[in-house]
Amino acid sequence: MLRIASYTAIALGLMAGTSLAADLPQPVQPNQPEISYDTPATFSTYDWSGAYIGANAGWSFLGADGKNGAYGALDDDQDGLTAGVHAGYNFMVAPGFVLGAEADIQYNDLEEKTAGVELQSDWNASVRARAGYAFDRTLVYGTGGAAFKDLTAKAPAGKDEKTVAGYVVGAGVEQAVTDTLTARLEYLYQDFGKQKFDFGGTSEKTKIDENLVRAGVSMKF
């Protein structure tokens, strides 16, 4: 009987200890943040793709390199205000790389007068490809294509008017001010080769080129 009583006391003691331990406050485990490896990191970049229209203004430098003719030489450089409109379309062909096409037409205030002859131009236009690299909202680009220009030469024997074609190359930088509005600064060189103007039985020859420096804004769709 003594042995049974001893076993019973030990069992009751163990049960009491276990119950007491269960009643004691347990340490609180901090919440561990859930880590997901399924969602890749994303970066916000400006999308240059889409159509746009805009306006620009700047300064034009017309060069005339002519030979002495019957009435004098069309050989004086001139410069003046230029203003116009442009439209185009851009494609994001790869992250950062932009290809596009653009057309523009400009009003020119250019007129050269020398002894006996006069050369003037009222407008020029171009159709160009553009290629550049975008640093998010800043686009650095080169451009090139075909250029067109009106020229009027006058002499005592009459005048000769013509529209000439040449090539244009240039470069620029464009900044996205908002998601739909961009601003640009660009330089273009246009070469129209040697042109011949006929005045009755006489003629004048001169090489024509033009440099354009202009700023503009565009609205993107």
Side-chain angles (χ1 to χ4, degrees), residues 109-163:
D109 183 19
L110 298 172
E111 186 175 2
E112 171 205 350
K113 293 182 179 180
T114 59
V117 290
E118 177 182 343
L119 178 66
Q120 67 182 51
S121 174
D122 294 327
W123 62 267
N124 69 13
S126 69
V127 179
R128 295 171 285 107
R130 298 205 312 166
Y133 189 84
F135 300 90
D136 194 5
R137 303 177 75 89
T138 302
L139 174 65
V140 180
Y141 63 89
T143 184
F148 309 91
K149 187 173 189 62
D150 85 307
L151 292 169
T152 300
K154 298 178 181 180
K159 69 177 181 179
D160 189 5
E161 298 178 279
K162 60 178 64 181
T163 299

Side-chain angles (χ1 to χ4, degrees), residues 56 59-61 102 104 106 124-126 128-130 141-145 147 167-172 184-191 210-214:
N56 57 77
W59 209 255
S60 173
F61 303 86
E102 183 175 292
D104 68 84
Q106 309 289 128
N124 69 13
S126 69
R128 295 171 285 107
R130 298 205 312 166
Y141 63 89
T143 184
Y167 69 87
V168 54
V169 293
R184 66 167 68 177
L185 180 65
E186 68 180 1
Y187 162 77
L188 299 176
Y189 170 76
Q190 300 177 340
D191 192 318
E210 188 168 0
N211 293 273
L212 295 171
V213 179
R214 62 190 185 186

